[in-house]
Every structure is written in C-alpha cells, then in structure tokens.
Amino acid sequence: MNSCSTLWPLMVGLRQQFPPSKTLDLDQVVQNALGTVVPPLKPRARVAVAVGSRGIANLQTIVRAAVRALEAAGARPFILPAMGSHGGGTSEGQVGLLADYGITESALGVPIHPSMEVQSVGSVIPGFELCVSREAMSADGVLLINRIKPHTDFAGTIGSGLLKMLVVGLGKRAGAARFHAAACRLGYERVLRAQSRALLETVPVIGGLAILEDQRHQTARIEAIRPSDIESREPLLCAESRALMPGLPFDDIDLRSEEHTSELQSRITLSYS
C-alpha cells in the first residue's frame, strides 16, 4: 500500500451546502421581462408559446404568466409542444407529457396545438433538410420558453436552451431526427448554430424566456431575450448555469504524492466544513 492510499481512502463522503436562491415573484418577473423585449403585436395576433418536455421547476407558473402577459398585450396565445420526438413522437404523447407538468388547456385557459406536421425551410447543412413545425410557421409570433443548461451528452459553449428548442423541439420528430443525424457527423454545436441561425431568420420568433435554475433545481433567474440576441446571449447564460451546478471546489485533483494528498484534504475540510 503506498503513502497516498493510507492518507486517502477509496471513498469519501462529502456534503456541500448551497445558499437558497431568493424567492421570486414569478408572475411579476415574467411580465416585466417580456415587456422589455416583445415587440408591439397586432390585435388578436396568434402567438405560439413553445413549451418543452423537461422537468423545469415552476414551469406551469412561468408559462401561465407568459400567457397572461401576451393576452394583456392583445394577443391570442396557444401552447405549442416543442419537444422533438419525445412523447413517442405523437400528438397524444406530447399532450400527455405537458399534462404531467400541469400544462393543460383547462389549467392555462388557452388551446394546445400539438400537430406533428412540419415543413421544409431548405438546407443549411448539405444533405440534411431543415424542418420546422407548421403550427410555428403559421403563427403570427413564437415565444420560446426553456431552461438554459449544459447538455448531458455534448460539451461546448451552448447546450440545452432556446436554440435547441428552436431546432430540435420545433423540428418535431422529423426535424429532430435530421438534426441528430447531422450533429453525429459534423458536431453538435456547429450544426445547432447553423440551423438555429437560419430558423431565426425564418420562424416568426418574437423572443425567448431563458430560465436558470440553482443547485437545488429551483428558479434562480429568468431573462427575456430578443430574437437578434439569442445566439450571443445563450453561451453566456450557459456558462452562468454551469457555475450554478454542484461541483468539487477545485479544478484539478492530484493524488500522486503525500504532499498533494494532504493539501487536498485540507482544502476539502475548509470548503465543506
């Protein structure tokens, strides 16, 4: 047994304490945020509120607040499932997933349009057709609502968020399949940036609500973003989200010597006491 193993056991139990995020008046936060970015809407404009299939804290409250803000602006909002092929890739399955999060017609007082039909908007990646929801394209405006966080399967400056919802979520089953095929060949971020840029010029997006969650998976912050700023803001918000995630209080671990091991133990004691 070497000197390191005598000082450092194979398993160590740690407990990290995080301060809770401040309590937010979500209705007021969403109303104020949307008021700064959503352009004036024509009377009775049909606005698709894009909602995904992720377990986001306070999702029903946030979506309801967005719906009420749009109604106050004179629009006619409806819920558009934006979850790619989730829910079995069927309208019924996606409505069921939304219901699990409290997103129902009766709860929000607006219709849900779950059609899986898509239309082609060309190809920005040779050999891979770019598809988007027909419901989104026929609406007067689209509001994207999603949590920003690093992706569990891909590393990069962007992960899950508004851009992914635009490309994969609103791509429905057909668009999601084409995106993942292209990403596997050419890289996640490269394809996502190229396709989302094209869709931001094509889909009538009026803005996005970016949600950040803390280490306890509670709403830490909500930011509304103009369509022209989504691509530049999302990497910054993704980095902010990454910083909110739990993690060890150092970048590197070196157990090669007794000196490094003793230093590591000291740092853990100081950080986790």
Side-chain angles (χ1 to χ4, degrees):
M1 182 177 294
N2 61 37
S3 60
C4 287
S5 60
T6 61
L7 290 170
W8 192 254
L10 294 178
M11 299 291 291
V12 177
L14 302 175
R15 182 181 296 274
Q16 191 170 13
Q17 302 294 335
F18 299 106
S21 296
K22 64 179 181 180
T23 302
L24 300 176
D25 182 340
L26 294 175
D27 288 329
Q28 193 63 51
V29 168
V30 170
Q31 180 178 337
N32 292 344
L34 288 180
T36 64
V37 302
V38 173
L41 301 169
K42 68 180 183 181
R44 298 185 59 77
R46 294 179 64 254
V47 178
V49 180
V51 184
S53 52
R54 302 301 181 183
I56 299 172
N58 304 307
L59 182 61
Q60 185 199 63
T61 302
I62 294 169
V63 173
R64 183 192 291 118
V67 165
R68 297 296 173 260
L70 290 169
E71 289 176 332
R76 290 182 298 151
F78 63 92
I79 303 300
L80 178 56
M83 56 185 76
S85 59
H86 288 188
T90 68
S91 299
E92 297 78 10
Q94 298 201 343
V95 169
L97 273 178
L98 290 180
D100 289 341
Y101 301 127
I103 309 298
T104 64
E105 293 185 346
S106 60
L108 299 182
V110 295
I112 297 175
H113 294 186
S115 171
M116 299 298 292
E117 291 188 16
V118 297
Q119 68 183 66
S120 173
V121 292
S123 175
V124 294
I125 304 293
F128 296 96
E129 186 181 25
L130 183 56
C131 299
V132 68
S133 161
R134 284 189 181 276
E135 290 281 1
M137 292 298 290
S138 66
D140 297 309
V142 176
L143 176 66
L144 306 169
I145 301 179
N146 204 13
R147 175 179 56 200
I148 307 293
K149 62 182 287 291
H151 200 280
T152 54
D153 294 329
F154 306 98
T157 63
I158 55 176
S160 294
L162 302 176
L163 297 178
K164 184 169 180 284
M165 170 174 275
L166 179 61
V167 174
V168 181
L170 290 182
K172 299 292 183 171
R173 184 170 188 167
R178 287 166 172 79
F179 166 79
H180 286 114
C184 286
R185 182 176 300 180
L186 300 172
Y188 172 85
E189 185 163 340
R190 174 185 172 186
V191 175
L192 185 58
R193 283 185 179 276
Q195 293 190 340
S196 63
R197 194 174 296 130
L199 289 177
L200 283 169
E201 295 175 355
T202 307
V203 180
V205 177
I206 60 174
L209 272 183
I211 303 167
L212 295 183
E213 292 184 351
D214 64 17
Q215 299 91 343
R216 292 185 170 88
H217 300 293
Q218 291 303 308
T219 309
R221 194 160 75 81
I222 298 176
E223 179 176 324
I225 312 175
R226 293 182 176 85
S228 59
D229 296 331
I230 292 177
E231 185 177 2
S232 61
R233 281 295 297 156
E234 189 154 317
L236 302 177
L237 292 174
C238 191
E240 185 177 337
S241 174
R242 184 179 287 107
L244 286 171
M245 290 180 146
L248 294 174
F250 32 75
D251 296 325
D252 299 306
I253 300 176
D254 190 342
L255 302 181
R256 292 175 298 176
S257 69
E258 181 176 333
E259 177 184 354
H260 287 122
T261 303
S262 298
E263 179 187 354
L264 181 62
Q265 289 177 314
S266 173
R267 292 176 66 184
I268 288 179
T269 300
L270 290 173
S271 299
Y272 286 86
S273 59

